[in-house]
């Protein structure tokens, strides 16, 4: 995360990164994430991604800022 933050502040962020859900919200608040609404609409994410995941992890202020991959619970077997 230290290297990622340094690259983002230097203006050379990677094209993609995998991070935890709550980290996504922190980065979104800082304005570091891209608006993915066009892709989400084209692929109908709103229809297939549970609303709670959308609200807590994948959207910020109603804007899709993350791609739903590798989603699981801490209680999975």
């Amino acid at each position: 995360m230290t290297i990622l933050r340094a690259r983002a502040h230097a203006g050379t962020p990677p094209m993609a990164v995998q991070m935890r859900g709550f980290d996504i919200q922190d980065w979104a608040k800082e304005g570091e994430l891209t608006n993915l609404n066009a892709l989400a609409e084209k692929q109908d994410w709103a229809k297939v991604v549970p609303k709670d995941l959308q609200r807590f992890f994948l959207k910020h202020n109603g804007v899709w800022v993350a791609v739903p991959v590798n989603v699981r619970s801490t209680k999975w077997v």
Side-chain angles (χ1 to χ4, degrees):
M1 283 302 232
T2 302
I3 293 169
L4 177 60
R5 190 161 302 283
R7 286 189 60 184
H9 290 302
T12 58
M15 294 293 292
V17 64
Q18 184 176 355
M19 64 177 68
R20 295 183 190 124
F22 291 110
D23 290 333
I24 293 168
Q25 292 302 310
D26 292 340
W27 283 83
K29 289 175 190 170
E30 295 176 22
E32 296 289 347
L33 302 181
T34 300
N35 181 323
L36 299 173
N37 281 351
L39 179 61
E41 288 175 21
K42 181 179 179 181
Q43 296 182 353
D44 290 325
W45 292 356
K47 291 181 182 177
V48 296
V49 176
K51 298 291 183 203
D52 286 342
L53 290 177
Q54 292 179 36
R55 184 174 59 243
F56 293 120
F57 302 116
L58 305 175
K59 286 184 172 181
H60 180 71
N61 293 333
V63 175
W64 288 92
V65 294
V67 177
V69 297
N70 199 22
V71 179
R72 65 183 182 273
S73 170
T74 57
K75 300 176 187 175
W76 71 294
V77 177

